[in-house]
Amino acid sequence: MDTFFLSHGSPMLSVDESLPARHFFESWRSKVLPAAPTAILVVSGHWETASPTVNAIDGSSDTIHDFYNFPKRLYEFKYPAPGAPHLARRVKELLQNAGFEHVKEDNARGLDHGAWIPLMLMYPEADIPVCQLSVQTQMDVTHHFNMGKALAPLRDEGVLIIGSGSATHNLRMLSRENGPVAQWASDFDTWLKEALLGGRYNEVNNYMEKAPNARMAQPWPDHFYPLHVALGAAGERAKADLIHHSWSNSNLSYASYRQVFRIAKGRTYRQYFLCLPKSIAFKTFNAQKPHL
């Protein structure tokens, strides 16, 4: 299964019908990923911890309204997706096997809005188990890319890996009006698109040195590290596709990317599917054929 980086933008995404990104998320199953994953792992920019932490929830997940001064109805939304404790333990196992020694479980934390707002539009039935993994903003890009690499086996287990952040994220510079896109935001967003689509992942991993206006577009790395986890999980031969692009508030990009994994050279399409569990192989075959 491919991995994804989704720009979740403003909490208004949950109610504002004028946002093109909202319609993109609503069309997820019909246009992006028809096959239902066995479970969903979300790496959200809204959960920061000192060491990698997964939420291992038995039963329905709580809905965390971690935003302020928004319309009242946003605080009334619930997304009671079942927790994914088995996935949480699998994530912990993979990270520890890759050398991440201090991986923790949180048995109480629900889903923050970086997870539940896009998911309520993508999978409104809230019937797919969801687990979250935190980011460590005191660590660097390599740390998060390596976390993603450790999680790559989940793709073959039918798990949908989503990095939920933002292609540009400078809240102090947001405009209340949807005027012309700020040049600094456009320049960074364009650089990111060209780097990803051109396979220049080393540049993306060194974005602070390589990208124009990096400190303006991403003054804090919390909403960009989920991209690096998704890239790491996609594998070295992955190819990025831009699957949505729009703006709001003059500089908030909703650019979202799919990391299409490719079968290793010399390995046939049939050999790939023989390695998958039958139920997962059947779903994958009917939904998406990996690029050769």
Side-chain angles (χ1 to χ4, degrees):
M1 183 168 288
D2 300 333
T3 69
F4 294 83
F5 173 69
L6 305 178
S7 292
H8 61 251
S10 164
M12 291 301 293
L13 182 71
S14 61
V15 296
D16 190 347
E17 293 283 351
S18 71
L19 290 173
R22 177 183 171 89
H23 303 293
F24 158 68
F25 286 114
E26 289 178 325
S27 68
W28 181 263
R29 288 180 295 180
S30 62
K31 296 183 178 180
V32 181
L33 193 66
T38 58
I40 301 171
L41 174 64
V42 180
V43 183
S44 168
H46 290 281
W47 191 16
E48 302 175 35
T49 59
S51 58
T53 307
V54 288
N55 67 335
I57 303 299
D58 288 308
S60 298
S61 301
D62 290 335
T63 304
I64 303 174
H65 301 89
D66 50 339
F67 43 80
Y68 307 95
N69 300 318
F70 283 85
K72 180 181 177 181
R73 56 180 170 158
L74 272 68
Y75 300 92
E76 298 171 349
F77 281 121
K78 302 292 183 184
Y79 190 75
H86 295 294
L87 174 58
R89 287 188 283 272
R90 176 68 170 140
V91 169
K92 183 177 181 180
E93 174 190 39
L94 289 170
L95 291 176
Q96 289 177 330
N97 289 345
F100 293 88
E101 297 178 359
H102 305 290
V103 183
K104 300 180 179 179
E105 291 184 30
D106 187 320
N107 302 119
R109 190 183 191 278
L111 303 177
D112 61 55
H113 81 270
W116 69 261
I117 287 184
L119 289 180
M120 70 177 282
L121 301 173
M122 297 159 62
Y123 300 104
E125 297 84 1
D127 57 356
I128 299 176
V130 181
C131 171
Q132 279 198 235
L133 172 65
S134 65
V135 296
Q136 291 73 61
T137 52
Q138 81 282 8
M139 302 299 288
D140 61 9
V141 166
T142 300
H143 168 87
H144 291 84
F145 187 79
N146 287 339
M147 279 207 303
K149 287 177 66 176
L151 300 174
L154 296 176
R155 295 196 329 256
D156 290 347
E157 297 169 18
V159 176
L160 171 58
I161 301 174
I162 296 174
S164 179
S166 192
T168 60
H169 193 255
N170 190 330
L171 299 184
R172 293 184 178 181
M173 300 298 291
L174 291 183
S175 170
R176 291 182 179 273
E177 306 298 328
N178 290 321
V181 176
Q183 191 64 49
W184 59 264
S186 177
D187 288 348
F188 181 88
D189 186 72
T190 299
W191 172 87
L192 179 61
K193 178 184 71 174
E194 292 176 351
L196 286 174
L197 271 57
R200 303 198 307 270
Y201 302 131
N202 284 336
E203 290 188 23
V204 178
N205 285 347
N206 291 281
Y207 71 98
M208 274 297 177
E209 291 75 33
K210 299 293 186 179
N213 307 308
R215 294 195 182 279
M216 181 72 81
Q218 299 287 347
W220 195 245
D222 53 344
H223 275 58
F224 212 52
Y225 280 166
L227 167 63
H228 298 102
V229 178
L231 286 176
E236 295 180 358
R237 303 189 72 248
K239 177 185 180 298
D241 289 335
L242 179 67
I243 55 176
H244 177 74
H245 190 257
S246 62
W247 294 90
S248 73
N249 305 92
S250 296
N251 57 56
L252 189 60
S253 172
Y254 283 88
S256 296
Y257 295 88
R258 178 180 198 155
Q259 284 71 237
V260 182
F261 84 95
R262 292 171 178 265
I263 297 173
K265 188 175 181 180
R267 195 180 187 193
T268 68
Y269 186 53
R270 180 174 181 273
Q271 286 171 332
Y272 166 75
F273 276 99
L274 287 175
C275 293
L276 295 181
K278 288 184 179 180
S279 59
I280 297 171
F282 179 79
K283 289 181 180 179
T284 307
F285 180 83
N286 282 283
Q288 58 176 67
K289 182 176 179 178
H291 291 225
L292 301 175

